[in-house]
Amino acid sequence: MSLPSINPEYFVDFLVKLLNIASPTGFAGPAIDFVEKELSQFKQLELSRTRKGALVAKWEVNSDLPPIALTAHVDTLGAVVKEIKSNGRLKLSRIGGIQWNTVETEGVWVFASKGEKIRGSVLIDTASGHVHGAAGSETKRNDEHMEVRLDARTTSEKETRALGINIGDCVAFDPRVEVTNGFIRSRFLDDKACMANIVAAVKSMAEAGLSPERSVYFLISNYEEVGHGASTGIPSEVAELVTVDMAVVGAGQESDEFSATLCIKDSGGPYHFGLNNKMRALAEKHNIPYKTDVYPFYGSDGEAFWRAGGDVALALIGPGIDASHNYERAHMDGLVATTNWIMAYLLSD
Ligand SMILES: [Zn+2]
């Protein structure tokens, strides 16, 4: 059986819209809402929310086999306001360990808890070349020295508080999405690219009049970047869980942007041997370009479920993402490969 085709325009349109929705962990509600609205057009799916705020979509079919599940996350790296400085600028507390050098001079939105969202940018506190000269490049990029300059008239803590900004307010870094020549360049392709993979797979199958072979739960997780997203939300009747998350591209890695990858082992140890072999066999049967790889600094939502006591076979697949947790980039070939792999899995028994 051949796989239904994917509409690349739809894929890119959905992904770009999702990338442009700010959704740091803890503030991912708007991205969950957006995915929920998109999935609500498929009447095959029964949608619900966990108390934690994740979205669960169930595609129920008649089958004697136990259900399977797939998960992807829409939360991203980000920050919250840690302190308002006496000069009116903000110190931040990072969410998910974004590296300061990757966001220096980046535009941000500060979502003021008592007011409007306010524009600003991340700077080192020795930013002006004409004031600090060479010393500016020697200042350590750390929590102490990085600050947000607000595009509002404030030079004091009092004036900044008057803007409605409070300690703990969400700060989102600009994604800077660009689509060129089959490449998609943006922050937070991790894991919004894989969210697009799942939505595109559902759409292609639904439009082709196809259903999965077994009932499927899709868990759209909202706390992955802090390590416990999918620790809950997957029913105990589920026998297999495929985590769809980015593959690691860089020196020493097998993964690339033009393939999908099956991760055999990451920081949390090896995945499930039997399910890995099933995923490999499906990729080979459907001529899906894939790699196997080992990720040195990586944990997945599937492992969060395992750690929480989830009793499933577990695998991890995803498209190669260059410069992950930095200024990321993907290619349509890897994204299509991953979407095809998801469909091949859903259509298998
Ligand atoms: Zn991820």
Side-chain angles (χ1 to χ4, degrees):
M1 177 194 198
S2 64
L3 299 171
S5 59
I6 298 158
N7 177 340
E9 287 79 33
Y10 170 83
F11 187 101
V12 171
D13 181 64
F14 172 83
L15 176 55
V16 168
K17 282 179 181 152
L18 181 58
L19 288 165
N20 280 313
I21 297 171
S23 59
T25 309
F27 305 89
I32 293 278
D33 292 345
F34 175 73
V35 174
E36 182 177 48
K37 187 154 178 280
E38 195 64 26
L39 290 178
S40 67
Q41 66 182 294
F42 306 110
K43 299 302 165 208
Q44 299 88 333
L45 301 178
E46 189 188 311
L47 303 178
S48 61
R49 298 273 188 115
T50 66
R51 295 186 192 97
K52 191 170 166 178
L55 176 67
V56 179
K58 185 182 185 188
W59 191 340
E60 189 161 14
V61 296
N62 254 328
S63 167
D64 294 335
L65 296 165
I68 56 171
L70 288 99
T71 187
H73 66 94
V74 293
D75 62 305
T76 70
L77 306 180
V80 296
V81 177
K82 166 67 176 59
E83 204 178 313
I84 302 170
K85 297 171 71 169
S86 58
N87 64 4
R89 299 188 177 197
L90 311 174
K91 276 195 194 175
L92 302 181
S93 173
R94 292 169 292 157
I95 297 169
I98 199 159
Q99 293 175 59
W100 281 125
N101 62 298
T102 70
V103 286
E104 186 172 358
T105 77
E106 188 61 280
V108 296
W109 285 107
V110 180
F111 291 83
S113 49
K114 286 191 181 160
E116 301 291 296
K117 59 178 188 175
I118 296 163
R119 197 72 179 136
S121 46
V122 180
L123 294 170
I124 187 80
D125 60 5
T126 49
S128 171
H130 296 94
V131 175
H132 301 282
S137 58
E138 280 150 26
T139 308
K140 251 199 159 332
R141 272 59 185 163
N142 61 20
D143 291 9
E144 191 55 33
H145 290 291
M146 300 304 287
E147 63 183 16
V148 171
R149 174 186 64 190
L150 297 165
D151 296 334
R153 294 188 79 133
T154 170
T155 53
S156 69
E157 178 186 350
K158 194 166 170 240
E159 286 171 304
T160 295
R161 286 193 188 268
L163 296 168
I165 293 175
N166 277 294
I167 305 306
D169 288 356
C170 172
V171 178
F173 305 104
D174 284 0
R176 269 196 287 143
V177 189
E178 276 192 48
V179 182
T180 311
N181 206 14
F183 288 99
I184 300 169
R185 168 152 59 87
S186 178
R187 292 185 191 284
F188 316 132
L189 285 164
D190 170 17
D191 187 30
K192 289 175 173 178
C194 299
M195 190 63 255
N197 291 142
I198 288 178
V199 171
V202 168
K203 183 182 167 73
S204 292
M205 282 177 51
E207 287 180 354
L210 296 168
S211 297
E213 274 298 303
R214 311 160 63 155
S215 292
V216 186
Y217 290 90
F218 300 100
L219 175 68
I220 315 312
S221 151
N222 59 339
Y223 274 89
E224 193 274 349
E225 290 292 1
V226 292
H228 58 74
S231 57
T232 189
I234 293 162
S236 58
E237 57 174 335
V238 166
E240 295 173 4
L241 172 61
V242 173
T243 306
V244 192
D245 209 333
M246 48 141 289
V248 178
V249 174
Q253 295 304 122
E254 182 80 351
S255 305
D256 64 41
E257 294 161 279
F258 314 104
S259 317
T261 295
L262 176 74
C263 176
I264 305 298
K265 176 187 177 289
D266 62 19
S267 308
Y271 286 82
H272 187 272
F273 189 76
L275 188 54
N276 282 349
N277 284 346
K278 178 175 175 177
M279 298 311 293
R280 283 189 231 237
L282 285 169
E284 273 153 32
K285 178 178 166 192
H286 293 280
N287 293 317
I288 296 164
Y290 84 102
K291 311 272 184 182
T292 57
D293 210 348
V294 173
Y295 306 157
F297 301 100
Y298 196 106
S300 77
D301 241 349
E303 287 165 337
F305 184 58
W306 260 2
R307 280 205 185 83
D311 182 20
V312 288
L314 179 66
L316 169 63
I317 64 167
I321 301 289
D322 188 65
S324 53
H325 280 191
N326 201 308
Y327 194 22
E328 300 171 344
R329 193 180 71 170
H331 189 272
M332 277 310 287
D333 287 358
L335 297 169
V336 167
T338 306
T339 308
N340 281 333
W341 212 350
I342 292 169
M343 290 195 288
Y345 178 57
L346 294 174
L347 293 166
S348 71
D349 55 20

